[in-house]
Amino acid sequence: MTENENSIHNNDVELVIITGMSGAGKTVAMQSFEDLGFYCIDNLPPELLLTFLDLMMKSDNPMRRIAAVMDTRGGDLFDSLIGALDDLLQAEGVSSRILFLDANDESLVKRYKESRRSHPLSEGGLLLEGIRKERLLLSELKGRSRSIYDTSNLLPRELREKIIAEFSSRKDSVFTLNFISFGFKHGMPIDADVVFDVRFLPNPFYIKELKPQTGLDSEVSEYVLKWGETQILLQKLTDLFKFLIPQYKNEGKSQVIIAFGCTGGQHRSVTLAEYFGKHFNEEYRTFITHRDIEKRKG
């Protein structure tokens, strides 16, 4: 019996079971599926699989793309996975497939030694014995798998790229840009990949009629953008971003956060975040966030 290979209909739940050898990259795989918009659950007991799917389908906001990691960490519970897969074939509204991650013994031994973790099946014995025992235990499951990745010579970035290429339903929605404005007096954003200090630009704060407004108002944005130094900055940053953003994307990042900071996060930083968010919106899936725009006091 093989896994369900029926085409995925719009109302079906798409289930991917991630399994394979311990140390072959299941953590990276689960993170990749999260980036693709899958609801991910780790180390799910096989006997709870159908119950879990039923709950997902009956919820008010049903999750239609689910990835579940199931492996030998479950001990005796893992033995019931084959039976759960047989039951899954009879379930209506579910399109399932298995992603099996494999690697040669030498690579697995090396990874375990580097991480200083113990193999779940070694039981205090030799690491290689645990690996061979797991390979035998997983042999039938590997035979049922449509997608088998040998990660022996794959970098984490390359594994992510393989998963995205095969499982992405909208490749253009995987990678996202987020342009953030903030005020330095409120602290720097800790999640930003790149931060630009734009406090050298002329400050609308000192213009009486502009002070109570923000960079979302046309009067403020026009004031910030009219200066020669601003135009030079926009040109140079545009060239930089056109080079930099594809490099991040090729590296396997799912998103890039670019932050602009001014004193209070009201005028200059907001203007630049809006400018670049709109500039790159047609090329990338882009978001604009103004972290401190509501923090004005007085």
Side-chain angles (χ1 to χ4, degrees):
M1 186 173 294
T2 59
E3 60 174 321
N4 186 0
E5 297 188 3
N6 293 332
S7 60
I8 299 174
H9 301 290
N10 290 335
N11 294 325
D12 284 353
V13 170
E14 180 183 359
L15 170 67
V16 178
I17 296 174
I18 306 169
T19 189
M21 298 296 294
S22 300
K26 291 191 291 292
T27 299
V28 173
M30 186 171 71
Q31 293 170 347
S32 302
F33 278 99
E34 287 177 343
D35 292 339
L36 287 171
F38 281 74
Y39 181 92
C40 296
I41 183 169
D42 188 22
N43 205 15
L44 177 69
E47 293 179 346
L48 298 180
L49 179 58
L50 289 180
T51 302
F52 173 74
L53 290 174
D54 186 57
L55 289 173
M56 290 294 98
M57 289 187 287
K58 290 181 179 178
S59 64
D60 293 336
N61 296 304
M63 305 299 298
R64 294 300 175 189
R65 309 188 81 196
I66 300 170
V69 176
M70 299 181 181
D71 52 34
T72 54
R73 289 175 298 167
D76 293 338
L77 293 175
F78 183 75
D79 296 337
S80 62
L81 179 54
I82 300 299
L85 293 176
D86 290 338
D87 294 337
L88 189 61
L89 290 174
Q90 310 302 321
E92 295 184 0
V94 179
S95 297
S96 62
R97 62 193 303 181
I98 301 172
L99 171 61
F100 190 97
L101 301 179
D102 201 356
N104 58 44
D105 291 354
E106 182 180 358
S107 296
L108 294 175
V109 169
K110 180 180 179 181
R111 292 171 187 175
Y112 266 98
K113 286 186 175 181
E114 289 175 348
S115 66
R116 299 184 180 181
R117 296 171 55 229
S118 59
H119 192 279
L121 298 183
S122 63
E123 298 180 353
L126 296 176
L127 173 59
L128 193 56
E129 290 181 359
I131 292 174
R132 290 171 177 170
K133 185 185 299 184
E134 183 179 42
R135 197 176 297 282
L136 180 62
L137 183 64
L138 293 172
S139 58
E140 182 177 351
L141 188 58
K142 183 178 181 180
R144 288 173 172 247
S145 304
R146 189 198 319 175
S147 301
I148 301 174
Y149 294 173
D150 186 340
T151 68
S152 303
N153 299 311
L154 287 182
L155 297 174
R157 169 180 58 82
E158 294 171 325
L159 175 57
R160 287 172 57 86
E161 290 174 352
K162 283 179 66 70
I163 291 173
I164 289 172
E166 180 170 354
F167 293 93
S168 175
S169 61
R170 285 185 59 199
K171 293 185 174 65
D172 61 343
S173 68
V174 175
F175 181 80
T176 60
L177 283 177
N178 197 327
F179 291 97
I180 296 178
S181 70
F182 72 96
F184 278 98
K185 71 178 184 180
H186 301 297
M188 290 181 58
I190 62 174
D191 57 345
D193 296 293
V194 185
V195 176
F196 293 95
D197 183 348
V198 298
R199 287 177 290 185
F200 66 91
L201 296 176
N203 193 352
F205 179 84
Y206 298 108
I207 308 299
K208 183 178 179 180
E209 59 270 22
L210 300 182
K211 180 178 178 179
Q213 300 183 41
T214 73
L216 297 178
D217 297 301
S218 60
E219 295 85 355
V220 172
S221 62
E222 289 172 2
Y223 177 87
V224 173
L225 296 175
K226 75 176 183 178
W227 302 95
E229 54 262 56
T230 305
Q231 290 301 312
I232 294 174
L233 177 65
L234 295 179
Q235 179 183 347
K236 291 184 178 296
L237 288 183
T238 298
D239 291 340
L240 176 63
F241 293 157
K242 285 182 177 179
F243 167 78
L244 194 62
I245 293 170
Q247 306 307 315
Y248 279 120
K249 185 177 180 181
N250 293 337
E251 185 64 21
K253 288 180 69 67
S254 62
Q255 68 169 336
V256 172
I257 301 175
I258 300 174
F260 297 96
C262 59
T263 304
Q266 305 292 321
H267 300 107
R268 294 164 290 180
S269 61
V270 172
T271 298
L272 266 67
E274 285 288 323
Y275 175 88
F276 284 107
K278 294 173 182 176
H279 183 85
F280 287 97
N281 187 48
E282 293 185 2
E283 188 174 358
Y284 300 100
R285 187 174 180 227
T286 303
F287 298 91
I288 304 172
T289 304
H290 301 303
R291 193 193 70 177
D292 300 327
I293 201 169
E294 301 295 333
K295 293 181 180 179
R296 183 190 302 276
K297 295 182 178 179

